[in-house]
Amino acid sequence: YPVNPNADEILGLKAYPSVSSIPEPVDVVVVSVPAPKVPKVIEDAGKAGAKFAVIIASGFKEVGNVELEKRVVETARRYGMRVLGPNIFGYVYTPSRINATFGPRDVIPGGVAFITQSGALGIALMGTTIMEGIGVSAIISIGNKADLDDADFLEFFEKDPNTNIVLIYLEGISDGRRFVEVASKVTLQKPIVVIKSGRTEAGARAAASHTGSLAGNIAFYETAFKQSGILFAKSVEEAFDWVKALTWNPLPKGDRIVVITNGGGAGVQASDTLADNGFLLQRPSETLVEEIKKFVPPFASLANPIDITGMAPTEWYYRSVYAALKDPGVDSVVVLYCHTALTHPVEVAEEIIRAVKDVGGLTKPLTVALIGGVEAYEGIKKLTETRIPAYPTPERAAAAMAAIHRYVKYREYVRKRLSYLGKERS
Amino acid sequence: YPVNPNADEILGLKAYPSVSSIPEPVDVVVVSVPAPKVPKVIEDAGKAGAKFAVIIASGFKEVGNVELEKRVVETARRYGMRVLGPNIFGYVYTPSRINATFGPRDVIPGGVAFITQSGALGIALMGTTIMEGIGVSAIISIGNKADLDDADFLEFFEKDPNTNIVLIYLEGISDGRRFVEVASKVTLQKPIVVIKSGRTEAGARAAASHTGSLAGNIAFYETAFKQSGILFAKSVEEAFDWVKALTWNPLPKGDRIVVITNGGGAGVQASDTLADNGFLLQRPSETLVEEIKKFVPPFASLANPIDITGMAPTEWYYRSVYAALKDPGVDSVVVLYCHTALTHPVEVAEEIIRAVKDVGGLTKPLTVALIGGVEAYEGIKKLTETRIPAYPTPERAAAAMAAIHRYVKYREYVRKRLSYLGKERS
């Protein structure tokens, strides 16, 4: 229902002069009026029985109007109403087909809930989810957090069957203890990836002049994230890479990662990245080696990375990926393809997709890198369309796989820590 | 001249049975015959007076045929011939319009010389240069380095007027001392970016099984790189990001970096990345602040990052970039744009290009991030087509700018070290 005291019709819909004049019960009110008028609208919405106010308007705490913001929250509380915002670009919840933002309208439904404290960057990243083919359950522009904050939404997403991973762009937290407690519970169920802006002193100063939120000591955040099992991304690219791998993949049963490549150099880069993240490649299982020996040339290296050589036709990708996904001695698979003159990346992508289909879907985690020019990007698009996480460099594919394995390790740590705390209390 | 003893014509060109039967003097011989036949071809080419043999053929040291490789080099030496390879995909030198590789044929001429020890990855990255619009002077697949190695090519590129930066994908060096000496001289003139594969122990093991080269202790490489002023990239993406920024930009006169953004969050991420690299944003010059104050709203933050706010129309990008590039108190500029509903990234790109044109070209370094969906990528393409380095995330634009500044610092260090060594000797 559009509400506007000066219009009878908006976009072909009948407009109402106030929320309370709407003939039906109202659940959510999206408020986009100048800041000084917000308290009156909230009052009216409260009377109309609305339960949830989404305040897009800015001009509150972020410009020094602390009192006005307080008044809005107090008014809402009087009517038992919760407030998202103010100073936000809105929110999305795809299961209810709601997109109350001024960002892109064509977000893809999926399992990722994205909470962002930054407006412009948040809207831009909404666009990135679409381009990267990442489906979202929710996008929450959280703004000044006058009432609801990250922990509140985490509690919701923990139970939300439509969400399987939470991504947070965070500038500051006011109640650190509660955040850690809630996040620790959530990460037992679902991964959380956080981009903490203002990691450095310089960044923290920039953040302070941005939303006025204190970025705080990064050591505190690092400890808090570790204790709650949160994956800490330093860049938006890293965060999106990891999210793609985590939302589309199942979790691995162990740390036996196998890297398959047609280029030794790409394999070395992936090994370096995995080692940077604490994961060492072990010798692949004998059965897998035997299987791959059947078709590769004698000079192929069958250690890990498994180098099926630069002469590999697309079919070898099918066979090696199929064999690795089938093999019970393999927990997860990183596939690398360097574009050479022999094969087309799209065909390699198709063979990988066929292998995944033939083993019955992604029964263990898989990430892919197709390295090259525009043709490689076509292949990446093909893979991501079928929800196989694919990247343009070996390091990004390896880092995304490392994130999955790190999450499993973190979760184990949190589980132990919580059980220890539980024992201590009893 | 095609040479093949079994053909009279190849691709419409008259074929010769041997190099020595070619009626004109021969400069370079590209050898692509089975390994055992290579010595005979080299002998013949030597007799014909060829000066340079490019041996694409594999089947030498990398598979244990050390003797055969030695014989090839000895034969070449007898005739005063130098050898590139064996076990390579060829070489490119755009000023002479030579592309003797089996990689992509449409490389873009430009200032980047790329030396790669990896075959498949190297060919794939040839494709990446094309997609990223990076112009190359040369691409050298260096393979087993039986004769010519990285240092030899560095010496050439130091003096080559067609090269302004060298990118090396390196697995191992045999003569570390010489490499450091040569590289130290080169980095006084031109930046060198190195991707050192096998940075970690696991990676080194993978590298050993790849080309048989010993990756060596990474601490040695780190020291060697630092002493010679080399920029050390951990991933191919990083390397290409830096190369783009270094090849298209002039060098800055000092460390006064200004960040301009329409999104606070993007500004914070860039500040964090610059701080990670040792560069702190200082308060921008008064003249720049005064200039920007003229058009931005009063709540815009004019500290550094300069936040021209989410309501910035494209024109503000023109005005702020123009002002920053003109201002003598600014040494380099990072421009960030978060795609919002108000403006189109391509138009933002056009305004930035216009500003650069109106100040008389890139008189100081500039990097740009356009963050968002597919539209942002169109804008990035537009910028890179006019040789303004542009990226999809704030961190990558900031890291590329940091690489430029780091190079200047490194060069200063090398200069001092060399002058110190010089004094010590005299």
Side-chain angles (χ1 to χ4, degrees):
Chain A
Y1 298 101
V3 174
N4 191 308
N6 309 316
D8 294 329
E9 201 187 285
I10 291 173
L11 294 172
L13 296 168
K14 179 177 159 46
Y16 295 84
S18 64
V19 177
S20 54
S21 63
I22 295 170
E24 284 188 83
V26 169
D27 292 317
V28 181
V29 184
V30 179
V31 185
S32 178
V33 299
K37 292 189 177 167
V38 171
K40 215 182 125 216
V41 171
I42 296 295
E43 182 87 43
D44 178 55
K47 279 179 189 154
K51 290 171 200 74
F52 189 45
V54 176
I55 307 178
I56 290 182
S58 57
F60 293 88
K61 196 176 72 186
E62 82 281 7
V63 292
N65 279 338
V66 181
E67 277 311 308
L68 186 65
E69 188 164 309
K70 244 169 112 180
R71 192 138 59 89
V72 167
V73 176
E74 277 163 12
T75 310
R77 288 251 164 91
R78 256 203 333 271
Y79 294 95
M81 201 190 308
R82 299 304 301 261
V83 172
L84 169 62
N87 186 28
I88 65 174
F89 64 80
Y91 86 113
V92 170
Y93 190 60
T94 55
S96 310
R97 305 183 57 180
I98 291 173
N99 182 340
T101 71
F102 50 88
R105 280 170 294 180
D106 47 346
V107 290
I108 306 163
V112 181
F114 174 34
I115 304 172
T116 171
Q117 201 171 349
S118 182
L121 183 59
I123 293 181
L125 295 179
M126 266 179 90
T128 307
T129 64
I130 298 162
M131 186 182 56
E132 298 270 348
I134 297 173
V136 298
S137 57
I139 298 175
I140 311 288
S141 171
I142 202 157
N144 294 5
K145 311 187 193 179
D147 175 23
L148 293 167
D149 73 1
D150 312 82
D152 296 308
F153 285 98
L154 278 180
E155 278 185 332
F156 173 76
F157 292 127
E158 181 192 1
K159 305 233 158 61
D160 179 27
N162 304 301
T163 297
N164 70 9
I165 169 168
V166 185
L167 168 64
I168 309 181
Y169 173 87
L170 187 72
E171 298 202 333
I173 317 172
S174 48
D175 188 349
R177 182 179 294 267
R178 179 153 173 260
F179 182 82
V180 170
E181 271 180 22
V182 174
S184 303
K185 274 198 303 166
V186 177
T187 54
L188 290 179
Q189 313 295 331
K190 300 165 186 185
I192 302 176
V193 174
V194 169
I195 310 164
K196 167 67 182 78
S197 91
R199 285 183 292 108
T200 64
E201 245 190 80
R205 266 202 308 280
S209 77
H210 174 212
T211 50
S213 66
L214 290 170
N217 187 328
I218 190 60
F220 158 75
Y221 283 97
E222 278 180 333
T223 311
F225 292 164
K226 212 165 209 174
Q227 287 196 349
S228 12
I230 287 174
L231 295 168
F232 182 9
K234 288 199 174 171
S235 70
V236 297
E237 181 176 276
E238 227 173 41
F240 275 78
D241 281 358
W242 299 354
V243 160
K244 232 158 58 167
L246 283 156
T247 187
W248 294 337
N249 272 311
L251 294 177
K253 296 212 169 56
D255 274 353
R256 295 167 304 175
I257 306 169
V258 162
V259 176
I260 297 165
T261 183
N262 72 335
V268 179
Q269 292 297 112
S271 306
D272 276 339
T273 304
L274 287 167
D276 282 340
N277 285 282
F279 298 101
L280 296 178
L281 295 174
Q282 301 155 36
R283 225 190 130 62
S285 75
E286 267 315 303
T287 48
L288 180 61
V289 170
E290 284 312 312
E291 192 53 39
I292 289 179
K293 246 188 202 161
K294 286 181 190 161
F295 51 91
V296 297
F299 57 87
S301 167
L302 298 182
N304 200 358
I306 295 174
D307 188 347
I308 58 174
T309 79
M311 61 184 273
T314 52
E315 195 216 344
W316 292 3
Y317 271 94
Y318 173 82
R319 294 184 70 172
S320 51
V321 172
Y322 181 90
L325 288 175
K326 268 284 186 202
D327 197 293
V330 173
D331 294 316
S332 59
V333 186
V334 178
V335 181
L336 312 174
Y337 167 74
C338 298
H339 181 26
T340 62
L342 294 173
T343 43
H344 197 286
V346 170
E347 286 161 17
V348 172
E350 280 164 355
E351 290 297 281
I352 295 170
I353 292 167
R354 198 159 65 87
V356 169
K357 204 171 281 170
D358 288 355
V359 296
L362 285 178
T363 50
K364 55 182 80 161
L366 171 70
T367 63
V368 180
L370 303 181
I371 307 137
V374 279
E375 305 92 342
Y377 267 88
E378 286 169 40
I380 289 171
K381 220 180 139 207
K382 189 115 204 164
L383 284 163
T384 48
E385 273 164 9
T386 56
R387 304 191 154 209
I388 296 173
Y391 308 89
T393 69
E395 299 90 358
R396 287 173 64 180
M401 182 56 80
I404 298 178
H405 282 267
R406 216 159 61 237
Y407 167 61
V408 174
K409 280 217 176 323
Y410 280 7
R411 198 178 57 164
E412 195 48 40
Y413 167 77
V414 172
R415 197 167 277 154
K416 277 185 192 148
R417 196 179 64 88
L418 290 183
S419 104
Y420 174 77
L421 287 176
K423 271 180 207 146
E424 216 179 31
R425 270 176 202 149
S426 65
Chain B
Y1 299 99
V3 175
N4 191 308
N6 309 318
D8 294 328
E9 199 187 286
I10 290 172
L11 294 172
L13 297 167
K14 179 176 159 47
Y16 295 84
S18 65
V19 177
S20 53
S21 63
I22 296 171
E24 285 187 85
V26 169
D27 293 317
V28 181
V29 184
V30 179
V31 185
S32 178
V33 300
K37 293 190 177 167
V38 171
K40 214 184 124 214
V41 171
I42 296 294
E43 183 86 43
D44 178 53
K47 279 179 190 154
K51 290 169 200 78
F52 189 45
V54 176
I55 306 176
I56 291 182
S58 55
F60 294 88
K61 197 176 72 186
E62 83 281 6
V63 294
N65 278 339
V66 182
E67 277 312 309
L68 186 63
E69 189 165 308
K70 244 170 112 179
R71 190 140 58 89
V72 167
V73 176
E74 277 162 13
T75 310
R77 287 252 165 91
R78 255 202 334 271
Y79 293 95
M81 202 190 307
R82 300 304 301 263
V83 172
L84 170 61
N87 186 26
I88 65 174
F89 63 81
Y91 85 114
V92 170
Y93 189 60
T94 54
S96 310
R97 305 183 58 178
I98 292 172
N99 183 341
T101 71
F102 50 89
R105 279 169 295 180
D106 48 346
V107 291
I108 306 164
V112 180
F114 174 34
I115 304 171
T116 171
Q117 201 172 348
S118 181
L121 184 59
I123 293 182
L125 295 180
M126 266 179 90
T128 307
T129 65
I130 298 162
M131 186 181 58
E132 298 270 348
I134 298 173
V136 299
S137 57
I139 298 176
I140 311 288
S141 172
I142 202 156
N144 294 5
K145 309 187 194 181
D147 175 23
L148 293 168
D149 71 2
D150 312 83
D152 296 308
F153 285 98
L154 277 179
E155 278 185 333
F156 173 76
F157 292 128
E158 181 192 1
K159 305 234 158 60
D160 179 26
N162 303 301
T163 297
N164 70 10
I165 169 168
V166 185
L167 168 64
I168 310 179
Y169 174 88
L170 188 72
E171 297 200 335
I173 316 173
S174 48
D175 188 349
R177 182 180 294 268
R178 177 151 176 261
F179 183 83
V180 169
E181 271 179 21
V182 174
S184 302
K185 274 198 301 165
V186 177
T187 54
L188 290 179
Q189 313 295 331
K190 299 166 186 184
I192 302 175
V193 174
V194 169
I195 310 165
K196 167 70 181 77
S197 92
R199 285 182 293 109
T200 63
E201 246 191 80
R205 267 202 309 280
S209 77
H210 173 213
T211 50
S213 65
L214 289 172
N217 187 329
I218 189 61
F220 158 75
Y221 283 97
E222 277 180 333
T223 310
F225 292 164
K226 211 165 208 174
Q227 288 194 350
S228 17
I230 288 173
L231 295 168
F232 182 9
K234 288 199 173 172
S235 70
V236 297
E237 182 176 276
E238 229 173 40
F240 275 78
D241 281 358
W242 300 354
V243 161
K244 231 159 57 166
L246 283 156
T247 187
W248 293 337
N249 272 311
L251 294 177
K253 297 210 168 58
D255 274 353
R256 293 167 306 175
I257 307 169
V258 162
V259 175
I260 297 166
T261 183
N262 71 335
V268 178
Q269 292 296 113
S271 306
D272 277 339
T273 304
L274 287 167
D276 282 341
N277 285 283
F279 298 102
L280 296 179
L281 294 174
Q282 301 154 36
R283 226 192 129 58
S285 76
E286 267 315 302
T287 47
L288 180 61
V289 170
E290 285 311 312
E291 192 54 38
I292 289 178
K293 246 189 201 162
K294 285 181 190 161
F295 52 91
V296 297
F299 57 87
S301 166
L302 299 182
N304 199 358
I306 294 174
D307 187 347
I308 57 173
T309 79
M311 59 184 275
T314 51
E315 196 216 342
W316 294 3
Y317 271 94
Y318 173 82
R319 294 184 70 173
S320 51
V321 172
Y322 181 91
L325 289 175
K326 267 284 185 201
D327 197 294
V330 173
D331 294 317
S332 60
V333 186
V334 178
V335 181
L336 313 174
Y337 167 73
C338 298
H339 183 24
T340 62
L342 294 172
T343 43
H344 198 285
V346 170
E347 286 163 16
V348 172
E350 281 164 355
E351 290 296 281
I352 295 170
I353 292 166
R354 198 159 66 85
V356 170
K357 204 170 283 170
D358 289 355
V359 297
L362 285 178
T363 50
K364 54 183 81 162
L366 171 70
T367 62
V368 180
L370 303 182
I371 308 137
V374 277
E375 305 92 341
Y377 268 88
E378 286 169 39
I380 290 170
K381 220 180 138 206
K382 190 114 204 166
L383 285 163
T384 47
E385 273 164 9
T386 55
R387 306 191 151 207
I388 295 174
Y391 308 89
T393 69
E395 299 89 359
R396 286 173 64 181
M401 181 56 79
I404 298 179
H405 282 268
R406 215 158 63 238
Y407 167 61
V408 174
K409 281 217 177 321
Y410 280 8
R411 198 177 58 164
E412 194 49 38
Y413 166 77
V414 172
R415 197 165 278 157
K416 277 185 191 145
R417 196 178 65 86
L418 291 184
S419 104
Y420 174 78
L421 287 176
K423 270 179 207 145
E424 217 178 30
R425 270 174 203 152
S426 65

